[in-house]
Amino acid sequence: MENNLSFFGGLDTVGGVHLLFGRGETGLLFDAGIQHGGLFTAPFIHLNDPMAKPIPRRDIRQYLLNRMAPPILNLYDPSLLGSLTKADLQRVWPEKQLPNYKNHYVFVSHVHQDHIALVPFLDESITVFMHQDVYASYQALVAAGYYFGTRANIETFVDGQVIDLGDFQIQPIETDHNATGTSGFILKTEEHKTAFTADWRIQDRYPGRMEKFIQTCQSEKIDVLITETTRVNKESLINEEADRLESTVMYDYSRIIEEAPGLTYLYALPMDLERTAEIIARTKATGKTLVMEKNIATFWHEAIKNGISALEGHPSITDMSTIKVLDTIHSLPYETVTIDDIVTDKSNYVVHLSYQSIAYITEFERLGQQSKSVYIHANAPAKQQVMQKWLKAFRISYHDISNKGHATHQEITNLVERIQPGVVIPVHGRTPFLLQTRGVAKYFPEYGETTTLASILSNQQLKASF
C-alpha cells in the first residue's frame, strides 16, 4: 500500500505548515495553524501592525478560499462551512488533485497560533492529538478569550508515548521551543519512517531534548526528515549566529527591573509558560509586583489550574501575591491594582502589556511620579514600528533581552548530517532552498502537491548541498 504525502502550507513562509500523510482510507494532518504574514493573521500574535481578520463565523470559509487551510471539507465542522463545496475548493486549487480520505486525525506540535489556530473549526468526528501541556494551554487560551473551543475530540499524549492507528504508529518526542509542550513526531508505516521536527532549538533550558530526538531518529533509520528552516537565509550562509541563553535572558531581566528608576513595561509571550514562571519568581525576588492585563492573567491562571507538567513543583504556580491584575473586576485569585495605585509608586511595578494595550502608556507616563521608565522586550514578534514610536514619544528606554525560538542554520545542518535520512524536506521558512545539508538530498514540494514517499525517495532530480 502506498504512503502519500500532501503539502498545503508552510513551504516558503513561516508557519502554517499543513502536512497530510495518507494511506488507504486514513489521513493524518500534522499541524493546523495559520501562516504569519498571510492575508489574515491568527489570534494571539499580539502584532502591533493592523491586520485584516476574517469575519466571525465565516473564518474557516475565508481561510479555505484564501488557501490558508487544508482543502479537505470533512476535516471541518459543517455548520461553519455553510454552502462551501469541494467544487469551490477545486477552483481554488485548479492544478491539483485534492486528496480524499474517509478518516482523519490531526496532530498538533505546539500551541503557537501558526500551528493550532484551525483547531476550533474542526469537526466533532476528528480526533486531535496534542501534548498534555499543549492541551492545558489551549484550554487556557479559550478561557482567556483568544480562541473559541472546538467540537473535535482531544486526545493528549506524553513524551515518547506510541500512538497506534493501525497502519500508522506515531511517536511524539518533546523538543525545545518557546512554547510549553512542543513535540516533534516520528511516523512509521510498514514501508517507511518519517520524522517531523516541528519548531525547535537547542537551548540551556532543555539541552537534552534535541539530542534524544536525533538519537531516536538514528536508531529508527529515518527515510524522510521534515524540518523547520525559519532562520535559514542568505546571511546565515556566511555568518554563524550565537544565541542568548535562557539563563542569560532571565539574568538580564532581573538586573534591569532591579535597577529601573521608574515603571517597567514588559512584553513577553504568555504561551512560554516556563518563562512566565521564571519572570514571576524573579520579580518576587526583587520585591516588586508583576501587573498583568486580565486576559494575560487569565491565561496564566487557567493554564496552571489545568496542570502543566513542565512546571510541577515550581513556586510560581502557588504564588498569589506577586501578580496583580490591572484595573478590572474579575474572578481570578489575584488582587487588582488600578492605574492610580501604580502611578503613585511606579518603581514598585512591572507592567506586562500586550501591543493592543499600548494606550495605557499615556496614563502611566503623564500621571503621578515623573521618573524614567524602561521597556523590556522579551520573546516578541519582530515588527515593532508602532511600539517604537510610542517609546520614543515618551522617552522610555528600550531593552531587548529576547532570544530565538528556532534553530540556527548550522544547527539544522548538523541535525540533518547526524540523522542521515534518505531525503530532507525543508519547511517553515522563507528561503528553505538555501538549507545546507552536507550531501543529504533535498526535496522541495509545491503547494498542493500530493506524492508518494517512494517517489520522493527515488526522485532522480533530488539535489544536495554541502
Side-chain angles (χ1 to χ4, degrees):
M1 189 179 297
E2 288 189 326
N3 299 306
N4 298 314
L5 181 54
S6 303
F7 303 87
F8 291 111
L11 299 184
D12 57 3
T13 186
V14 173
V17 174
H18 305 137
L19 302 170
L20 181 65
F21 287 86
R23 181 181 171 91
E25 294 186 328
T26 302
L28 275 56
L29 179 67
F30 284 81
D31 275 340
I34 301 297
Q35 71 187 67
H36 293 298
L39 290 179
F40 296 125
T41 191
F44 203 58
I45 291 180
H46 284 237
L47 288 175
N48 54 324
D49 292 338
M51 299 287 286
K53 296 180 180 179
I55 305 301
R57 298 292 297 180
R58 306 186 77 83
D59 317 52
I60 191 58
R61 289 168 55 92
Q62 294 172 6
Y63 287 144
L64 285 163
L65 294 173
N66 280 301
R67 291 171 56 140
M68 296 181 69
I72 305 161
L73 288 181
N74 56 351
L75 274 174
Y76 309 107
D77 181 346
S79 70
L80 302 176
L81 293 173
S83 61
L84 207 61
T85 67
K86 186 173 181 179
D88 296 323
L89 299 186
Q90 193 65 70
R91 283 192 292 272
V92 176
W93 299 85
E95 72 284 9
K96 303 300 179 185
Q97 180 68 38
L98 302 183
N100 184 26
Y101 300 111
K102 181 179 179 181
N103 307 306
H104 288 95
Y105 299 88
V106 175
F107 289 80
V108 170
S109 64
H110 61 288
V111 76
H112 282 162
Q113 58 279 347
D114 55 323
H115 297 262
I116 203 171
L118 298 178
V119 169
F121 310 109
L122 298 177
D123 186 57
E124 62 185 357
S125 65
I126 303 300
T127 297
V128 181
F129 293 94
M130 60 180 72
H131 190 283
Q132 61 183 12
D133 287 352
V134 174
Y135 185 43
S137 297
Y138 174 70
Q139 291 176 298
L141 287 174
V142 173
Y146 295 114
Y147 289 102
F148 57 85
T150 182
R151 296 180 64 186
N153 173 46
I154 306 295
E155 294 284 345
T156 62
F157 57 73
V158 296
D159 178 50
Q161 175 183 340
V162 176
I163 301 166
D164 192 335
L165 297 177
D167 289 334
F168 299 99
Q169 287 77 47
I170 303 94
Q171 181 182 4
I173 300 176
E174 278 190 279
T175 57
D176 185 8
H177 184 47
N178 56 343
T180 304
T182 301
S183 300
F185 302 94
I186 294 177
L187 170 64
K188 294 186 280 188
T189 64
E190 184 179 344
E191 299 84 5
H192 299 109
K193 297 177 181 179
T194 303
F196 172 42
T197 65
D199 292 1
W200 65 280
R201 64 181 181 180
I202 297 176
Q203 263 286 353
D204 58 336
R205 182 188 285 169
Y206 299 115
R209 285 189 176 177
M210 287 312 299
E211 183 62 27
K212 177 183 176 181
F213 184 90
I214 291 170
Q215 291 182 6
T216 305
C217 288
Q218 289 172 331
S219 64
E220 293 287 356
K221 301 188 185 314
I222 294 299
D223 298 299
V224 177
L225 172 66
I226 304 173
T227 181
E228 67 130 309
T229 54
T230 305
R231 294 171 67 183
V232 172
N233 51 48
K234 289 183 179 179
E235 184 177 349
S236 71
L237 292 172
I238 302 170
N239 300 315
E240 184 169 353
E241 297 182 89
D243 282 337
R244 178 182 279 136
L245 298 177
E246 188 68 20
S247 55
T248 304
V249 172
M250 288 294 96
Y251 172 82
D252 289 342
Y253 173 78
S254 296
R255 176 181 53 81
I256 293 167
I257 67 169
E258 192 167 17
E259 297 174 357
L263 188 62
T264 300
Y265 301 101
L266 169 67
Y267 184 93
L269 288 180
M271 288 176 285
D272 189 342
L273 289 162
E274 291 106 312
R275 177 171 288 181
T276 299
E278 282 301 303
I279 285 171
I280 295 168
R282 302 255 178 167
T283 305
K284 181 184 178 77
T286 63
K288 298 196 175 189
T289 297
L290 180 64
V291 179
M292 293 181 174
E293 298 176 62
K294 181 181 178 180
N295 55 358
I296 295 175
T298 299
F299 173 77
W300 165 254
H301 174 66
E302 290 293 326
I304 61 175
K305 185 176 74 173
N306 295 336
I308 301 296
S309 62
L311 293 180
E312 187 174 350
H314 198 289
S316 291
I317 65 176
T318 56
D319 185 348
M320 297 294 124
S321 60
T322 303
I323 297 172
K324 291 190 178 181
V325 184
L326 180 61
D327 210 20
T328 184
I329 300 173
H330 59 84
S331 59
L332 298 173
Y334 310 113
E335 294 182 3
T336 58
V337 62
T338 67
I339 291 176
D340 290 339
D341 294 329
I342 294 170
V343 299
T344 59
D345 188 14
K346 293 182 181 180
S347 64
N348 187 50
Y349 294 99
V350 177
V351 181
H352 188 351
L353 295 175
S354 66
Y355 282 150
Q356 284 80 0
S357 299
I358 192 173
Y360 276 123
I361 290 178
T362 299
E363 296 181 69
F364 286 133
E365 294 301 311
R366 297 300 191 205
L367 300 174
Q369 300 172 332
Q370 299 301 302
S371 55
K372 188 171 179 57
S373 299
V374 300
Y375 174 90
I376 300 176
H377 167 84
N379 204 19
K383 294 182 180 179
Q384 302 178 64
Q385 291 91 336
V386 174
M387 178 59 75
Q388 290 293 344
K389 184 177 180 178
W390 277 69
L391 299 183
K392 182 178 179 181
F394 290 100
R395 298 182 179 179
I396 299 169
S397 63
Y398 174 77
H399 301 269
D400 185 354
I401 65 169
S402 61
N403 59 5
K404 305 292 186 181
H406 301 273
T408 68
H409 192 160
Q410 291 73 27
E411 288 168 341
I412 300 171
T413 297
N414 291 337
L415 173 109
V416 174
E417 184 180 35
R418 291 186 61 193
I419 293 175
Q420 284 293 305
V423 62
V424 60
I425 303 177
V427 298
H428 198 290
R430 295 183 176 88
T431 53
F433 57 88
L434 293 177
L435 177 62
Q436 295 180 309
T437 59
R438 294 182 183 155
V440 175
K442 296 182 287 188
Y443 185 80
F444 302 107
E446 298 178 355
Y447 273 98
E449 172 185 343
T450 296
T451 186
T452 66
L453 292 182
S455 177
I456 291 174
L457 289 163
S458 63
N459 193 325
Q460 296 303 308
Q461 296 184 354
L462 294 174
K463 296 180 180 180
S465 64
F466 296 83

